[in-house]
Amino acid sequence: MYKDLSSVLRQISDRLPEYLHSQGVRNTNHLFSCINPAHADDNSSCGIVPPSHNTVFHCFSCHAVGSTIKAAHFLEGKPVVGAGFILTVKELAERFGIPMPEIEVTPEQLRDMDLINLHADAARIVATAPLSVQVQERIETFYKWPDLLRKSLGIGGVTSFDWYMHLMTVQNGYSRELMREFGLDDRRIFNENCLIYTVKDEKGNAVGFAARNLTHKARVEEKKALVEKHGKDAEEVKTFYVPPKFVNSRDTDHDTGAARNTIYKKGTRLFGINVAQRECRDKDLPLWVFEGY
């Protein structure tokens, strides 16, 4: 079902500049006043992200980010979850003259659509968020990754867990319960100390996240020093928290064993495959596969 909609969604995303213009949004030097209704913007803080090929807008002040669907949510109050999302897609498709397939949607399919849409918004935040000092240093100084490269792969971070959750719930309109159900409220992944990688499927849809905590090594050394000073049985040693070095999205709930993320299976997802296969196909290049991200 979602496969039938993917072509429609791509065509709607391509109409972002046209949609904004139809809603009276005027740009100056490719910038315009933020369309987030919660942001009273007089400084033209919003713009279309160049690497997105005119399909994603981003506000440099409040950090609202999204596609045509999210723009319709901000400007016209269109729903972005559940059955309302289908109605939003149908209305926008009709407005732009895009053929819309006749589909019947089951509750399970609606859940999968919400899952994909929430991951897409979380991925946009990760790619466009201001980077913390440690994440910026790791990307720019240690790895020396160009900004365009990291954004095309969906690599970045978040300002803080609370900031990220505010964008997802208050600004984007997703419930905390839905975030929790899909495992997207994981503080171990979405915090300022983590370099976050977006895992995508072959078509470029975000399906999961992997985070490397850049404070892990320092915290290990701090704990060693505490052990040497107080002994391993000291209370301050037992309660000293060392974050895991890597944390991945979970595809099941650890407590119930029920499926939590039906679009992500760590053992069957190859990071960067959507970019790699396109480059190999277009430029007739060999595909090299490496361990890790």
Side-chain angles (χ1 to χ4, degrees), residues 148-215:
L148 183 61
L149 171 67
R150 77 162 183 91
K151 287 183 177 179
S152 69
L153 288 170
I155 301 172
V158 298
T159 301
S160 71
F161 175 75
D162 291 338
W163 176 86
Y164 156 77
M165 288 300 295
H166 174 83
L167 292 187
M168 289 294 288
T169 56
V170 177
Q171 194 157 280
N172 287 340
Y174 298 124
S175 71
R176 187 69 183 259
E177 290 74 23
L178 198 60
M179 295 280 293
R180 187 176 298 113
E181 178 185 349
F182 293 159
L184 288 172
D185 67 340
D186 195 332
R187 188 183 293 269
R188 301 171 308 158
I189 294 177
F190 300 101
N191 71 75
E192 66 275 14
N193 297 318
C194 285
L195 176 61
I196 305 173
Y197 299 81
T198 303
V199 182
K200 301 181 180 181
D201 65 15
E202 293 79 359
K203 294 184 178 180
N205 296 314
V207 296
F209 297 92
R212 178 172 181 176
N213 193 301
L214 301 179
T215 67

Side-chain angles (χ1 to χ4, degrees), residues 28-61:
T28 303
N29 295 325
H30 306 292
L31 294 174
F32 47 88
S33 294
C34 183
I35 61 177
N36 176 9
H39 179 200
D41 180 27
D42 298 321
N43 300 312
S44 298
S45 304
C46 208
I48 295 179
V49 180
S52 75
H53 305 290
N54 291 331
T55 62
V56 175
F57 69 87
H58 174 233
C59 177
F60 302 95
S61 179

Side-chain angles (χ1 to χ4, degrees), residues 85-99:
F85 170 72
I86 297 293
L87 296 177
T88 299
V89 174
K90 286 182 176 179
E91 185 173 328
L92 289 174
E94 182 177 351
R95 197 180 300 182
F96 293 123
I98 300 169

Side-chain angles (χ1 to χ4, degrees), residues 1-279:
M1 182 279 309
Y2 200 88
K3 181 179 179 181
D4 295 333
L5 278 180
S6 61
S7 175
V8 177
L9 290 169
R10 282 195 298 271
Q11 292 178 73
I12 290 175
S13 292
D14 289 340
R15 303 298 183 89
L16 177 61
E18 181 181 343
Y19 173 78
L20 293 174
H21 183 79
S22 73
Q23 296 299 308
V25 177
R26 302 290 181 262
N27 69 75
T28 303
N29 295 325
H30 306 292
L31 294 174
F32 47 88
S33 294
C34 183
I35 61 177
N36 176 9
H39 179 200
D41 180 27
D42 298 321
N43 300 312
S44 298
S45 304
C46 208
I48 295 179
V49 180
S52 75
H53 305 290
N54 291 331
T55 62
V56 175
F57 69 87
H58 174 233
C59 177
F60 302 95
S61 179
C62 76
H63 303 290
V65 60
S67 63
T68 309
I69 300 288
K70 187 51 58 67
H73 172 67
F74 282 156
L75 293 171
E76 301 183 73
K78 301 295 184 186
V80 293
V81 294
F85 170 72
I86 297 293
L87 296 177
T88 299
V89 174
K90 286 182 176 179
E91 185 173 328
L92 289 174
E94 182 177 351
R95 197 180 300 182
F96 293 123
I98 300 169
M100 179 76 181
E102 290 294 331
I103 56 174
E104 294 183 5
V105 186
T106 67
E108 292 75 19
Q109 290 171 329
L110 281 177
R111 183 187 185 278
D112 281 351
M113 282 195 302
D114 287 346
L115 189 59
I116 288 174
N117 290 333
L118 263 74
H119 276 76
D121 277 329
R124 293 186 188 107
I125 291 172
V126 166
T128 59
L131 302 176
S132 64
V133 173
Q134 57 266 39
V135 171
Q136 185 170 9
E137 184 177 82
R138 179 60 62 105
I139 288 174
E140 296 180 358
T141 305
F142 190 80
Y143 291 135
K144 295 181 169 54
W145 289 334
D147 198 51
L148 183 61
L149 171 67
R150 77 162 183 91
K151 287 183 177 179
S152 69
L153 288 170
I155 301 172
V158 298
T159 301
S160 71
F161 175 75
D162 291 338
W163 176 86
Y164 156 77
M165 288 300 295
H166 174 83
L167 292 187
M168 289 294 288
T169 56
V170 177
Q171 194 157 280
N172 287 340
Y174 298 124
S175 71
R176 187 69 183 259
E177 290 74 23
L178 198 60
M179 295 280 293
R180 187 176 298 113
E181 178 185 349
F182 293 159
L184 288 172
D185 67 340
D186 195 332
R187 188 183 293 269
R188 301 171 308 158
I189 294 177
F190 300 101
N191 71 75
E192 66 275 14
N193 297 318
C194 285
L195 176 61
I196 305 173
Y197 299 81
T198 303
V199 182
K200 301 181 180 181
D201 65 15
E202 293 79 359
K203 294 184 178 180
N205 296 314
V207 296
F209 297 92
R212 178 172 181 176
N213 193 301
L214 301 179
T215 67
H216 171 80
K217 183 177 180 179
R219 296 290 285 178
V220 168
E221 294 303 318
E222 288 178 44
K223 186 167 186 176
K224 286 181 179 178
L226 283 176
V227 170
E228 291 178 3
K229 183 176 181 180
H230 302 290
K232 65 179 182 179
D233 295 324
E235 186 63 26
E236 53 262 57
V237 173
K238 292 180 179 179
T239 58
F240 188 85
Y241 177 68
V242 177
K245 185 175 182 179
F246 284 103
V247 178
N248 296 281
S249 292
R250 297 204 303 257
D251 53 13
T252 57
D253 189 299
H254 283 186
D255 294 328
T256 66
R260 129 183 288 182
N261 184 343
T262 54
I263 59 176
Y264 175 73
K265 301 292 181 186
K266 184 174 183 293
T268 62
R269 291 296 183 192
L270 185 61
F271 175 75
I273 186 61
N274 59 306
V275 176
Q277 68 179 6
R278 183 182 66 240
E279 293 292 309

